[in-house]
Amino acid sequence: MKLKTIKKTSVLLLLSSFIFCACQEEFPEDDLIQGKWKLESVVNDENALECEKKAYIEFSKYVYESSERKLYKANYCDIPEDAENQDEPIIIENTYTVVLDTLIIVDEHRDTKKYIIEHINKETMTLLDKYLTPTNYVRAE
């Protein structure tokens, strides 16, 4: 009787482990969105302001805990004149997630914006807003 109970318990533990492992979210090794991106329109505009050329967005590594997936927006144009260090950008921190081809960005006020990732590779990315207007990015050095 004890042997039968041990077998049942073993089978239940094995099944539980299998189900737990099978349900965990898998993350790609080659996370294309991770890293710094700049607006292509600014990079290619020789008349753009220097502060616009320095601006970027940066996606942290895509990790399991959604609150740890950070999107940083670096703004160099709106730095107050009385700021101690004029070379330090204003950083806005958001969180993000990707579901299929949709990028979901949540700000500190819990406002949510969704974009369709129309195209992404190691060098370029195109996001479509809710009006299907494209915004092109290039990988920053």
Side-chain angles (χ1 to χ4, degrees):
M1 182 123 151
K2 285 186 178 185
L3 184 59
K4 197 173 193 180
T5 305
I6 291 173
K7 284 183 179 180
K8 284 183 181 179
T9 305
S10 298
V11 168
L12 278 174
L13 283 173
L14 183 62
L15 283 174
S16 300
S17 298
F18 177 73
I19 290 170
F20 177 75
C21 291
C23 293
Q24 283 194 353
E25 193 172 358
E26 297 217 7
F27 301 104
E29 287 294 317
D30 188 15
D31 185 5
L32 291 175
I33 203 164
Q34 179 183 349
K36 289 184 182 180
W37 297 89
K38 292 187 175 201
L39 281 171
E40 182 181 53
S41 59
V42 172
V43 170
N44 294 333
D45 182 2
E46 59 188 43
N47 296 320
L49 299 173
E50 189 60 35
C51 65
E52 293 174 318
K53 290 180 179 182
K54 290 169 57 175
Y56 62 87
I57 61 173
E58 181 176 8
F59 293 90
S60 68
K61 184 173 181 163
Y62 201 87
V63 294
Y64 182 75
E65 185 62 41
S66 62
S67 64
E68 296 301 313
R69 295 182 212 134
K70 303 293 182 183
L71 167 60
Y72 304 100
K73 294 182 179 184
N75 176 346
Y76 287 86
C77 292
D78 298 325
I79 300 171
E81 289 184 26
D82 61 345
E84 281 184 34
N85 189 347
Q86 293 290 317
D87 294 329
E88 290 292 319
I90 296 170
I91 302 286
I92 298 171
E93 183 180 301
N94 300 309
T95 58
Y96 78 98
T97 193
V98 177
V99 178
L100 298 176
D101 67 345
T102 304
L103 170 65
I104 303 165
I105 300 172
V106 181
D107 71 13
E108 63 193 23
H109 304 293
R110 307 294 294 158
D111 290 330
T112 303
K113 292 185 179 174
K114 295 181 180 182
Y115 300 89
I116 296 171
I117 303 171
E118 182 180 60
H119 160 80
I120 188 168
N121 64 29
K122 291 181 180 182
E123 302 298 322
T124 60
M125 173 173 63
T126 302
L127 301 178
L128 301 177
D129 66 12
K130 65 182 179 181
Y131 303 109
L132 301 180
T133 304
T135 303
N136 297 313
Y137 294 89
V138 294
R139 181 80 62 185
E141 290 102 41

